[in-house]
C-alpha cells in the first residue's frame, strides 16, 4: 500500500488495517512453517506495510502533542 493512500485514512482506519495485516501475517507464517506458502515475499511486504502504518500514527501523535504545548 502506498504511503500517500495511508495518509488519507483516519487513525481508526489505519488501526483496523494494522490488525488485519497482523492476522494475515500470522496466517502466512503458519503456511510458511507447513511449507505451503507460495509467495514468501508477501511476509516482508506486510511487515513493511505495518511499519509504515505505525509510523504514520506516531507522526500524528507527535504532531498533536506539539500543537498542544
Amino acid at each position: 500500500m502506498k504511503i500517500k493512500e495511508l495518509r488519507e485514512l483516519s487513525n481508526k482506519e489505519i488501526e483496523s488495517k494494522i490488525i488485519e495485516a497482523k492476522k494475515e501475517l500470522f496466517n502466512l507464517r503458519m503456511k510458511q512453517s507447513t511449507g505451503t506458502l507460495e509467495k514468501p515475499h508477501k511476509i516482508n511486504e506486510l511487515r513493511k506495510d505495518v511499519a509504515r502504518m505505525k509510523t504514520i500514527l506516531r507522526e500524528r501523535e507527535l504532531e498533536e502533542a506539539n500543537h498542544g504545548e
Side-chain angles (χ1 to χ4, degrees):
M1 182 170 267
K2 301 276 184 180
I3 193 84
K4 187 176 180 180
E5 296 170 1
L6 289 173
R7 290 193 188 278
E8 294 172 357
L9 300 176
S10 70
N11 286 353
K12 291 199 183 260
E13 290 172 326
I14 292 175
E15 289 169 358
S16 67
K17 285 198 175 284
I18 289 173
I19 292 169
E20 191 178 303
K22 285 188 174 186
K23 286 180 184 177
E24 191 175 344
L25 259 174
F26 177 79
N27 290 333
L28 290 175
R29 285 191 191 114
M30 288 296 120
K31 287 181 181 181
Q32 186 179 31
S33 66
T34 59
T36 59
L37 183 62
E38 293 179 13
K39 298 179 181 178
H41 68 279
K42 287 293 285 180
I43 292 175
N44 285 337
E45 286 179 9
L46 273 174
R47 287 178 63 226
K48 288 179 182 180
D49 284 345
V50 169
R52 281 186 197 106
M53 290 184 268
K54 285 186 173 184
T55 299
I56 291 170
L57 289 176
R58 181 67 179 150
E59 286 173 351
R60 290 179 182 176
E61 183 181 308
L62 291 173
E63 188 176 306
E64 288 177 10
N66 285 338
H67 284 104
E69 291 181 359

